Amino acid sequence: MLEGMTDTGHPLAPPAHERPLLDAALDLAAGFAGTAAALDESAAIPLDNLRALHAAGLDAATLPESLGGQGLSYRAYGEIVRAVAAAEPSTACIWVMHIGAAGALAALSPEPEAARFAEALRSGSRFANALSEPAGGNLFLLPQQEAVADDDGWRLSGTKRFVSGCEIADHLLVNALVDGVPTFFGVDPDDTIGYVPIWDTMGMRATRSQLVSFDGTLLRGDRRCAPPEPDQPNHVSAGLAFLSIGIAEAALAALVAHARGRVVPTTGEPLARMQWVQHAVADAAVRLDAARLSARHSVWLADQRSPGFIPATLNAKLLAGEVAKDIAQLGVSVGGGSGYLRTSPIQRHFRDAQAGALMAYSAEVCRTYIGSALLEDAPDEP
Ligand SMILES: Cc1cc2nc3c(=O)[nH]c(=O)nc-3n(C[C@H](O)[C@H](O)[C@H](O)COP(=O)(O)OP(=O)(O)OC[C@H]3O[C@@H](n4cnc5c(N)ncnc54)[C@H](O)[C@@H]3O)c2cc1C
């Protein structure tokens, strides 16, 4: 699929000159696939995978040329997330958060901090997004925790939760209310920051998205970010649909392999010959193709710096998250008792596939925005 997009010069395909980076990501993903079951079992951070992505130049490539990067297109970035997610989705999730936090800090911090964060990404430091609050839920861009003024900036006491890869992060993107206004800061973890091990989850276990506690943590005035431009694309919202699409592709592949190999005792034929399986797989494949096109359209808009990027991203995230869940559920039906065994990838894909629709903005929040935009004069902003 990726090869076809690039070779045909399709407008939604990444630019041809980015082909070497895509090939590097595909090669790495092939190796990551062999780590997925063990990482799910151990719930250990996939540090080797993340370091390999950095060593291949993929982290630095996402920075603009003005910050020492290659200005990788959002189209190529999406394909990389998709390929890594199909192989090992926790690696893809942490990478999306890492690139999103680093990109925001490099773009929005005042100098010389912006250059320092860009150099940190290029040299292999790790970043995480500490944005979601226990009481804030999905509305992660609207923090409720107030930072208190201090001589060198502000102090934050409180918690952020579900912070993917926080335990290995050298730098955090943190938001808090400053004089009632949501404000972003770059924070280097010190002994005022703690990690509460809440992340014992049904899926995406190796993201280790723990609760992070702040006890009077200094939010430095010289690391106060400028407000993001409302229409500026960012790598987290651009990447989440591709995360679900990768999981959906892996779930469909596992389903197809099982259906081809499992002979139904009563008919003596493989499951793959049964009409209900063929019809269900056809519907799954068509919806997955639609989800890929929707996601690819959203990142094409991001590359055009079109304001249409935001609604397109919500459409794509909603569709991809629901398609991933449905295909993973079909896998469980087709897999039968064999797919229910812990040794089967089918049950792992089913568990991982739930995450996309839960992550902000959740499927329900996306629907509220899309539906109210159609039905009301003043649509609800997510
Ligand atoms: C795998 C994973 C990785 C994550 N990584 C990070 C990370 O790195 N950094 C980070 O900051 N956060 C991260 N998150 C948090 C994530 O982005 C969400 O903020 C979080 O999952 C919301 O969870 P919650 O329990 O507070 O849900 P809630 O917001 O309480 O949602 C519960 C239910 O209520 C619905 N709901 C909530 N608000 C509305 C609304 N306004 N309208 C309609 N329905 C609504 C939801 O759709 C859902 O059905 C991660 C989450 C997951 C699952």
PDB file of all heavy atoms in Angstrom, residues 93 97 129-134 136-140 161-164 199 204 207 209 355 358-360 362-365 368, ligand 1:
ATOM      1  N   CYS A  93       2.840   4.798  19.836  1.00  0.00           N
ATOM      2  CA  CYS A  93       2.156   5.764  20.702  1.00  0.00           C
ATOM      3  C   CYS A  93       3.169   6.655  21.417  1.00  0.00           C
ATOM      4  O   CYS A  93       3.025   7.883  21.430  1.00  0.00           O
ATOM      5  CB  CYS A  93       1.287   5.010  21.712  1.00  0.00           C
ATOM      6  SG  CYS A  93       0.414   6.097  22.855  1.00  0.00           S
ATOM      7  N   MET A  97       3.799  10.836  20.899  1.00  0.00           N
ATOM      8  CA  MET A  97       3.818  11.805  22.007  1.00  0.00           C
ATOM      9  C   MET A  97       5.178  12.506  22.090  1.00  0.00           C
ATOM     10  O   MET A  97       5.257  13.718  22.354  1.00  0.00           O
ATOM     11  CB  MET A  97       3.501  11.099  23.327  1.00  0.00           C
ATOM     12  CG  MET A  97       2.104  10.516  23.374  1.00  0.00           C
ATOM     13  SD  MET A  97       0.849  11.826  23.187  1.00  0.00           S
ATOM     14  CE  MET A  97      -0.646  10.847  23.009  1.00  0.00           C
ATOM     15  N   ASN A 129       4.324  14.231  26.759  1.00  0.00           N
ATOM     16  CA  ASN A 129       3.251  15.212  26.952  1.00  0.00           C
ATOM     17  C   ASN A 129       2.577  14.972  28.287  1.00  0.00           C
ATOM     18  O   ASN A 129       1.889  13.959  28.451  1.00  0.00           O
ATOM     19  CB  ASN A 129       2.174  15.016  25.875  1.00  0.00           C
ATOM     20  CG  ASN A 129       2.528  15.666  24.574  1.00  0.00           C
ATOM     21  OD1 ASN A 129       2.704  16.875  24.508  1.00  0.00           O
ATOM     22  ND2 ASN A 129       2.642  14.866  23.530  1.00  0.00           N
ATOM     23  N   ALA A 130       2.727  15.890  29.235  1.00  0.00           N
ATOM     24  CA  ALA A 130       2.027  15.768  30.515  1.00  0.00           C
ATOM     25  C   ALA A 130       0.896  16.786  30.520  1.00  0.00           C
ATOM     26  O   ALA A 130       1.039  17.903  31.044  1.00  0.00           O
ATOM     27  CB  ALA A 130       2.990  15.997  31.671  1.00  0.00           C
ATOM     28  N   LEU A 131      -0.222  16.420  29.898  1.00  0.00           N
ATOM     29  CA  LEU A 131      -1.313  17.367  29.669  1.00  0.00           C
ATOM     30  C   LEU A 131      -2.624  16.939  30.331  1.00  0.00           C
ATOM     31  O   LEU A 131      -3.309  17.749  30.950  1.00  0.00           O
ATOM     32  CB  LEU A 131      -1.543  17.540  28.157  1.00  0.00           C
ATOM     33  CG  LEU A 131      -0.307  17.971  27.353  1.00  0.00           C
ATOM     34  CD1 LEU A 131      -0.617  18.021  25.866  1.00  0.00           C
ATOM     35  CD2 LEU A 131       0.225  19.319  27.824  1.00  0.00           C
ATOM     36  N   SER A 132      -2.992  15.665  30.228  1.00  0.00           N
ATOM     37  CA  SER A 132      -4.305  15.219  30.729  1.00  0.00           C
ATOM     38  C   SER A 132      -4.338  15.272  32.249  1.00  0.00           C
ATOM     39  O   SER A 132      -3.397  14.849  32.910  1.00  0.00           O
ATOM     40  CB  SER A 132      -4.584  13.780  30.283  1.00  0.00           C
ATOM     41  OG  SER A 132      -4.651  13.713  28.891  1.00  0.00           O
ATOM     42  N   GLU A 133      -5.450  15.778  32.770  1.00  0.00           N
ATOM     43  CA  GLU A 133      -5.606  15.864  34.227  1.00  0.00           C
ATOM     44  C   GLU A 133      -6.689  14.894  34.684  1.00  0.00           C
ATOM     45  O   GLU A 133      -7.653  14.650  33.956  1.00  0.00           O
ATOM     46  CB  GLU A 133      -5.986  17.297  34.625  1.00  0.00           C
ATOM     47  CG  GLU A 133      -4.891  18.289  34.297  1.00  0.00           C
ATOM     48  CD  GLU A 133      -5.228  19.705  34.761  1.00  0.00           C
ATOM     49  OE1 GLU A 133      -6.361  19.948  35.226  1.00  0.00           O
ATOM     50  OE2 GLU A 133      -4.328  20.564  34.641  1.00  0.00           O
ATOM     51  N   PRO A 134      -6.567  14.393  35.910  1.00  0.00           N
ATOM     52  CA  PRO A 134      -7.575  13.449  36.396  1.00  0.00           C
ATOM     53  C   PRO A 134      -8.988  14.021  36.303  1.00  0.00           C
ATOM     54  O   PRO A 134      -9.915  13.327  35.902  1.00  0.00           O
ATOM     55  CB  PRO A 134      -7.159  13.205  37.851  1.00  0.00           C
ATOM     56  CG  PRO A 134      -5.681  13.434  37.851  1.00  0.00           C
ATOM     57  CD  PRO A 134      -5.438  14.526  36.850  1.00  0.00           C
ATOM     58  N   GLY A 136      -9.856  16.513  34.331  1.00  0.00           N
ATOM     59  CA  GLY A 136     -10.081  17.166  33.045  1.00  0.00           C
ATOM     60  C   GLY A 136     -10.495  16.215  31.950  1.00  0.00           C
ATOM     61  O   GLY A 136     -11.117  16.620  30.976  1.00  0.00           O
ATOM     62  N   GLY A 137     -10.151  14.928  32.115  1.00  0.00           N
ATOM     63  CA  GLY A 137     -10.535  13.922  31.134  1.00  0.00           C
ATOM     64  C   GLY A 137     -10.043  14.272  29.750  1.00  0.00           C
ATOM     65  O   GLY A 137      -8.879  14.625  29.558  1.00  0.00           O
ATOM     66  N   ASN A 138     -10.972  14.218  28.811  1.00  0.00           N
ATOM     67  CA  ASN A 138     -10.627  14.416  27.410  1.00  0.00           C
ATOM     68  C   ASN A 138     -10.205  15.842  27.072  1.00  0.00           C
ATOM     69  O   ASN A 138      -9.549  16.064  26.071  1.00  0.00           O
ATOM     70  CB  ASN A 138     -11.844  14.063  26.568  1.00  0.00           C
ATOM     71  CG  ASN A 138     -11.666  12.736  25.900  1.00  0.00           C
ATOM     72  OD1 ASN A 138     -11.186  12.694  24.783  1.00  0.00           O
ATOM     73  ND2 ASN A 138     -12.000  11.657  26.590  1.00  0.00           N
ATOM     74  N   LEU A 139     -10.598  16.789  27.886  1.00  0.00           N
ATOM     75  CA  LEU A 139     -10.341  18.192  27.533  1.00  0.00           C
ATOM     76  C   LEU A 139      -8.932  18.566  28.003  1.00  0.00           C
ATOM     77  O   LEU A 139      -8.734  19.446  28.849  1.00  0.00           O
ATOM     78  CB  LEU A 139     -11.429  19.086  28.141  1.00  0.00           C
ATOM     79  CG  LEU A 139     -12.842  18.697  27.660  1.00  0.00           C
ATOM     80  CD1 LEU A 139     -13.884  19.614  28.254  1.00  0.00           C
ATOM     81  CD2 LEU A 139     -12.940  18.701  26.130  1.00  0.00           C
ATOM     82  N   PHE A 140      -7.949  17.912  27.376  1.00  0.00           N
ATOM     83  CA  PHE A 140      -6.572  18.012  27.847  1.00  0.00           C
ATOM     84  C   PHE A 140      -5.937  19.361  27.539  1.00  0.00           C
ATOM     85  O   PHE A 140      -4.888  19.686  28.080  1.00  0.00           O
ATOM     86  CB  PHE A 140      -5.728  16.874  27.258  1.00  0.00           C
ATOM     87  CG  PHE A 140      -5.570  16.956  25.767  1.00  0.00           C
ATOM     88  CD1 PHE A 140      -4.378  17.390  25.214  1.00  0.00           C
ATOM     89  CD2 PHE A 140      -6.600  16.618  24.924  1.00  0.00           C
ATOM     90  CE1 PHE A 140      -4.224  17.490  23.844  1.00  0.00           C
ATOM     91  CE2 PHE A 140      -6.466  16.715  23.549  1.00  0.00           C
ATOM     92  CZ  PHE A 140      -5.282  17.144  23.007  1.00  0.00           C
ATOM     93  N   ARG A 161      -2.151  12.721  34.170  1.00  0.00           N
ATOM     94  CA  ARG A 161      -2.192  11.254  34.092  1.00  0.00           C
ATOM     95  C   ARG A 161      -2.194  10.745  32.654  1.00  0.00           C
ATOM     96  O   ARG A 161      -2.512  11.467  31.730  1.00  0.00           O
ATOM     97  CB  ARG A 161      -3.354  10.666  34.867  1.00  0.00           C
ATOM     98  CG  ARG A 161      -4.704  10.986  34.339  1.00  0.00           C
ATOM     99  CD  ARG A 161      -5.737  10.191  35.120  1.00  0.00           C
ATOM    100  NE  ARG A 161      -7.051  10.440  34.594  1.00  0.00           N
ATOM    101  CZ  ARG A 161      -8.140   9.784  34.949  1.00  0.00           C
ATOM    102  NH1 ARG A 161      -8.069   8.839  35.854  1.00  0.00           N
ATOM    103  NH2 ARG A 161      -9.302  10.066  34.393  1.00  0.00           N
ATOM    104  N   PHE A 162      -1.823   9.477  32.595  1.00  0.00           N
ATOM    105  CA  PHE A 162      -1.701   8.761  31.320  1.00  0.00           C
ATOM    106  C   PHE A 162      -0.609   9.394  30.452  1.00  0.00           C
ATOM    107  O   PHE A 162      -0.814   9.650  29.255  1.00  0.00           O
ATOM    108  CB  PHE A 162      -3.036   8.713  30.564  1.00  0.00           C
ATOM    109  CG  PHE A 162      -4.207   8.209  31.383  1.00  0.00           C
ATOM    110  CD1 PHE A 162      -5.480   8.714  31.221  1.00  0.00           C
ATOM    111  CD2 PHE A 162      -4.023   7.204  32.315  1.00  0.00           C
ATOM    112  CE1 PHE A 162      -6.556   8.248  31.959  1.00  0.00           C
ATOM    113  CE2 PHE A 162      -5.093   6.724  33.071  1.00  0.00           C
ATOM    114  CZ  PHE A 162      -6.363   7.249  32.887  1.00  0.00           C
ATOM    115  N   VAL A 163       0.546   9.672  31.038  1.00  0.00           N
ATOM    116  CA  VAL A 163       1.642  10.339  30.328  1.00  0.00           C
ATOM    117  C   VAL A 163       2.553   9.262  29.721  1.00  0.00           C
ATOM    118  O   VAL A 163       3.409   8.682  30.400  1.00  0.00           O
ATOM    119  CB  VAL A 163       2.420  11.273  31.268  1.00  0.00           C
ATOM    120  CG1 VAL A 163       3.540  11.972  30.501  1.00  0.00           C
ATOM    121  CG2 VAL A 163       1.485  12.288  31.906  1.00  0.00           C
ATOM    122  N   SER A 164       2.342   8.989  28.440  1.00  0.00           N
ATOM    123  CA  SER A 164       3.063   7.900  27.767  1.00  0.00           C
ATOM    124  C   SER A 164       4.563   8.158  27.786  1.00  0.00           C
ATOM    125  O   SER A 164       5.010   9.258  27.413  1.00  0.00           O
ATOM    126  CB  SER A 164       2.588   7.772  26.318  1.00  0.00           C
ATOM    127  OG  SER A 164       1.208   7.502  26.276  1.00  0.00           O
ATOM    128  N   TRP A 199      -0.363   2.353  35.615  1.00  0.00           N
ATOM    129  CA  TRP A 199      -0.604   1.831  34.264  1.00  0.00           C
ATOM    130  C   TRP A 199      -0.553   0.303  34.213  1.00  0.00           C
ATOM    131  O   TRP A 199       0.400  -0.292  33.713  1.00  0.00           O
ATOM    132  CB  TRP A 199       0.399   2.434  33.277  1.00  0.00           C
ATOM    133  CG  TRP A 199       0.005   2.228  31.833  1.00  0.00           C
ATOM    134  CD1 TRP A 199       0.554   1.338  30.946  1.00  0.00           C
ATOM    135  CD2 TRP A 199      -1.022   2.910  31.109  1.00  0.00           C
ATOM    136  NE1 TRP A 199      -0.060   1.428  29.731  1.00  0.00           N
ATOM    137  CE2 TRP A 199      -1.042   2.385  29.798  1.00  0.00           C
ATOM    138  CE3 TRP A 199      -1.931   3.914  31.432  1.00  0.00           C
ATOM    139  CZ2 TRP A 199      -1.928   2.834  28.819  1.00  0.00           C
ATOM    140  CZ3 TRP A 199      -2.816   4.357  30.450  1.00  0.00           C
ATOM    141  CH2 TRP A 199      -2.807   3.824  29.174  1.00  0.00           C
ATOM    142  N   MET A 204      -2.102  -1.645  25.094  1.00  0.00           N
ATOM    143  CA  MET A 204      -1.072  -0.597  24.982  1.00  0.00           C
ATOM    144  C   MET A 204      -0.223  -0.550  26.253  1.00  0.00           C
ATOM    145  O   MET A 204       0.120   0.508  26.771  1.00  0.00           O
ATOM    146  CB  MET A 204      -1.733   0.765  24.726  1.00  0.00           C
ATOM    147  CG  MET A 204      -2.624   0.812  23.512  1.00  0.00           C
ATOM    148  SD  MET A 204      -1.727   0.610  21.957  1.00  0.00           S
ATOM    149  CE  MET A 204      -1.179   2.283  21.677  1.00  0.00           C
ATOM    150  N   THR A 207       3.229   1.340  26.796  1.00  0.00           N
ATOM    151  CA  THR A 207       3.351   2.804  26.788  1.00  0.00           C
ATOM    152  C   THR A 207       3.675   3.330  28.184  1.00  0.00           C
ATOM    153  O   THR A 207       4.144   4.453  28.318  1.00  0.00           O
ATOM    154  CB  THR A 207       2.053   3.505  26.312  1.00  0.00           C
ATOM    155  OG1 THR A 207       1.013   3.231  27.240  1.00  0.00           O
ATOM    156  CG2 THR A 207       1.649   3.070  24.920  1.00  0.00           C
ATOM    157  N   SER A 209       1.905   4.613  30.548  1.00  0.00           N
ATOM    158  CA  SER A 209       1.374   5.983  30.624  1.00  0.00           C
ATOM    159  C   SER A 209       0.939   6.273  32.068  1.00  0.00           C
ATOM    160  O   SER A 209      -0.242   6.251  32.403  1.00  0.00           O
ATOM    161  CB  SER A 209       0.205   6.133  29.648  1.00  0.00           C
ATOM    162  OG  SER A 209       0.560   5.668  28.368  1.00  0.00           O
ATOM    163  N   ALA A 355      -7.793   1.546  22.518  1.00  0.00           N
ATOM    164  CA  ALA A 355      -7.171   2.798  22.996  1.00  0.00           C
ATOM    165  C   ALA A 355      -7.480   4.004  22.108  1.00  0.00           C
ATOM    166  O   ALA A 355      -7.722   5.108  22.616  1.00  0.00           O
ATOM    167  CB  ALA A 355      -5.663   2.628  23.117  1.00  0.00           C
ATOM    168  N   LEU A 358     -10.467   5.981  22.913  1.00  0.00           N
ATOM    169  CA  LEU A 358     -10.468   6.565  24.263  1.00  0.00           C
ATOM    170  C   LEU A 358      -9.586   7.806  24.337  1.00  0.00           C
ATOM    171  O   LEU A 358      -9.882   8.748  25.073  1.00  0.00           O
ATOM    172  CB  LEU A 358      -9.947   5.546  25.287  1.00  0.00           C
ATOM    173  CG  LEU A 358     -10.718   4.237  25.439  1.00  0.00           C
ATOM    174  CD1 LEU A 358     -10.005   3.319  26.425  1.00  0.00           C
ATOM    175  CD2 LEU A 358     -12.138   4.515  25.908  1.00  0.00           C
ATOM    176  N   MET A 359      -8.494   7.776  23.563  1.00  0.00           N
ATOM    177  CA  MET A 359      -7.535   8.878  23.650  1.00  0.00           C
ATOM    178  C   MET A 359      -8.171  10.168  23.142  1.00  0.00           C
ATOM    179  O   MET A 359      -9.022  10.157  22.262  1.00  0.00           O
ATOM    180  CB  MET A 359      -6.274   8.554  22.830  1.00  0.00           C
ATOM    181  CG  MET A 359      -5.494   7.394  23.425  1.00  0.00           C
ATOM    182  SD  MET A 359      -4.116   6.881  22.404  1.00  0.00           S
ATOM    183  CE  MET A 359      -2.921   8.146  22.791  1.00  0.00           C
ATOM    184  N   ALA A 360      -7.728  11.257  23.712  1.00  0.00           N
ATOM    185  CA  ALA A 360      -8.320  12.555  23.369  1.00  0.00           C
ATOM    186  C   ALA A 360      -7.953  12.953  21.925  1.00  0.00           C
ATOM    187  O   ALA A 360      -6.817  12.778  21.522  1.00  0.00           O
ATOM    188  CB  ALA A 360      -7.813  13.612  24.337  1.00  0.00           C
ATOM    189  N   SER A 362     -11.760  11.804  22.355  1.00  0.00           N
ATOM    190  CA  SER A 362     -12.416  10.501  22.272  1.00  0.00           C
ATOM    191  C   SER A 362     -13.426  10.492  21.122  1.00  0.00           C
ATOM    192  O   SER A 362     -13.815  11.542  20.596  1.00  0.00           O
ATOM    193  CB  SER A 362     -13.143  10.208  23.585  1.00  0.00           C
ATOM    194  OG  SER A 362     -14.235  11.102  23.731  1.00  0.00           O
ATOM    195  N   ALA A 363     -13.887   9.264  20.808  1.00  0.00           N
ATOM    196  CA  ALA A 363     -14.873   9.132  19.725  1.00  0.00           C
ATOM    197  C   ALA A 363     -16.099   9.991  20.019  1.00  0.00           C
ATOM    198  O   ALA A 363     -16.647  10.647  19.115  1.00  0.00           O
ATOM    199  CB  ALA A 363     -15.266   7.662  19.583  1.00  0.00           C
ATOM    200  N   GLU A 364     -16.505  10.035  21.281  1.00  0.00           N
ATOM    201  CA  GLU A 364     -17.725  10.781  21.619  1.00  0.00           C
ATOM    202  C   GLU A 364     -17.495  12.287  21.460  1.00  0.00           C
ATOM    203  O   GLU A 364     -18.369  13.017  20.969  1.00  0.00           O
ATOM    204  CB  GLU A 364     -18.167  10.463  23.056  1.00  0.00           C
ATOM    205  CG  GLU A 364     -18.677   9.034  23.242  1.00  0.00           C
ATOM    206  CD  GLU A 364     -17.559   7.991  23.252  1.00  0.00           C
ATOM    207  OE1 GLU A 364     -16.389   8.369  23.475  1.00  0.00           O
ATOM    208  OE2 GLU A 364     -17.872   6.805  23.019  1.00  0.00           O
ATOM    209  N   VAL A 365     -16.330  12.767  21.867  1.00  0.00           N
ATOM    210  CA  VAL A 365     -16.030  14.201  21.729  1.00  0.00           C
ATOM    211  C   VAL A 365     -15.938  14.568  20.243  1.00  0.00           C
ATOM    212  O   VAL A 365     -16.439  15.613  19.809  1.00  0.00           O
ATOM    213  CB  VAL A 365     -14.739  14.567  22.495  1.00  0.00           C
ATOM    214  CG1 VAL A 365     -14.309  15.996  22.212  1.00  0.00           C
ATOM    215  CG2 VAL A 365     -14.948  14.369  24.001  1.00  0.00           C
ATOM    216  N   THR A 368     -19.434  14.829  18.912  1.00  0.00           N
ATOM    217  CA  THR A 368     -20.093  16.056  19.356  1.00  0.00           C
ATOM    218  C   THR A 368     -19.684  17.216  18.455  1.00  0.00           C
ATOM    219  O   THR A 368     -20.525  18.018  18.016  1.00  0.00           O
ATOM    220  CB  THR A 368     -19.724  16.370  20.820  1.00  0.00           C
ATOM    221  OG1 THR A 368     -20.198  15.305  21.634  1.00  0.00           O
ATOM    222  CG2 THR A 368     -20.347  17.680  21.292  1.00  0.00           C
TER     223      THR A 368
HETATM  224  C1  LIG B   1      -2.922   4.632  25.501  1.00  0.00           C
HETATM  225  C2  LIG B   1      -3.102   6.043  26.014  1.00  0.00           C
HETATM  226  C3  LIG B   1      -2.050   6.928  25.975  1.00  0.00           C
HETATM  227  C4  LIG B   1      -2.186   8.230  26.443  1.00  0.00           C
HETATM  228  N1  LIG B   1      -1.109   9.065  26.421  1.00  0.00           N
HETATM  229  C5  LIG B   1      -1.223  10.331  26.917  1.00  0.00           C
HETATM  230  C6  LIG B   1      -0.083  11.195  26.975  1.00  0.00           C
HETATM  231  O1  LIG B   1       1.027  10.831  26.576  1.00  0.00           O
HETATM  232  N2  LIG B   1      -0.242  12.445  27.514  1.00  0.00           N
HETATM  233  C7  LIG B   1      -1.458  12.873  27.978  1.00  0.00           C
HETATM  234  O2  LIG B   1      -1.533  14.024  28.444  1.00  0.00           O
HETATM  235  N3  LIG B   1      -2.561  12.069  27.946  1.00  0.00           N
HETATM  236  C8  LIG B   1      -2.460  10.820  27.436  1.00  0.00           C
HETATM  237  N4  LIG B   1      -3.559   9.984  27.416  1.00  0.00           N
HETATM  238  C9  LIG B   1      -4.832  10.512  27.941  1.00  0.00           C
HETATM  239  C10 LIG B   1      -5.892  10.707  26.852  1.00  0.00           C
HETATM  240  O3  LIG B   1      -5.486  11.575  25.855  1.00  0.00           O
HETATM  241  C11 LIG B   1      -7.212  11.193  27.445  1.00  0.00           C
HETATM  242  O4  LIG B   1      -7.070  12.464  27.993  1.00  0.00           O
HETATM  243  C12 LIG B   1      -7.693  10.277  28.503  1.00  0.00           C
HETATM  244  O5  LIG B   1      -7.629   8.950  28.045  1.00  0.00           O
HETATM  245  C13 LIG B   1      -9.103  10.596  28.925  1.00  0.00           C
HETATM  246  O6  LIG B   1      -9.409   9.622  29.900  1.00  0.00           O
HETATM  247  P1  LIG B   1     -10.494   9.841  31.013  1.00  0.00           P
HETATM  248  O7  LIG B   1     -10.615   8.600  31.792  1.00  0.00           O
HETATM  249  O8  LIG B   1     -10.215  11.073  31.793  1.00  0.00           O
HETATM  250  O9  LIG B   1     -11.767   9.967  30.112  1.00  0.00           O
HETATM  251  P2  LIG B   1     -12.995  10.919  30.233  1.00  0.00           P
HETATM  252  O10 LIG B   1     -12.689  12.206  29.557  1.00  0.00           O
HETATM  253  O11 LIG B   1     -13.485  10.922  31.651  1.00  0.00           O
HETATM  254  O12 LIG B   1     -14.020  10.132  29.322  1.00  0.00           O
HETATM  255  C14 LIG B   1     -14.921   9.115  29.805  1.00  0.00           C
HETATM  256  C15 LIG B   1     -16.072   9.028  28.834  1.00  0.00           C
HETATM  257  O13 LIG B   1     -16.750  10.275  28.785  1.00  0.00           O
HETATM  258  C16 LIG B   1     -16.772  10.761  27.452  1.00  0.00           C
HETATM  259  N5  LIG B   1     -16.615  12.218  27.468  1.00  0.00           N
HETATM  260  C17 LIG B   1     -15.703  12.943  28.146  1.00  0.00           C
HETATM  261  N6  LIG B   1     -15.823  14.255  27.864  1.00  0.00           N
HETATM  262  C18 LIG B   1     -16.846  14.375  26.992  1.00  0.00           C
HETATM  263  C19 LIG B   1     -17.451  15.460  26.312  1.00  0.00           C
HETATM  264  N7  LIG B   1     -17.052  16.724  26.498  1.00  0.00           N
HETATM  265  N8  LIG B   1     -18.467  15.194  25.452  1.00  0.00           N
HETATM  266  C20 LIG B   1     -18.892  13.912  25.249  1.00  0.00           C
HETATM  267  N9  LIG B   1     -18.353  12.829  25.876  1.00  0.00           N
HETATM  268  C21 LIG B   1     -17.343  13.059  26.723  1.00  0.00           C
HETATM  269  C22 LIG B   1     -15.610  10.090  26.750  1.00  0.00           C
HETATM  270  O14 LIG B   1     -15.830  10.033  25.358  1.00  0.00           O
HETATM  271  C23 LIG B   1     -15.624   8.719  27.382  1.00  0.00           C
HETATM  272  O15 LIG B   1     -16.612   7.933  26.758  1.00  0.00           O
HETATM  273  C24 LIG B   1      -3.432   8.671  26.961  1.00  0.00           C
HETATM  274  C25 LIG B   1      -4.526   7.769  27.003  1.00  0.00           C
HETATM  275  C26 LIG B   1      -4.360   6.469  26.544  1.00  0.00           C
HETATM  276  C27 LIG B   1      -5.554   5.536  26.604  1.00  0.00           C
END
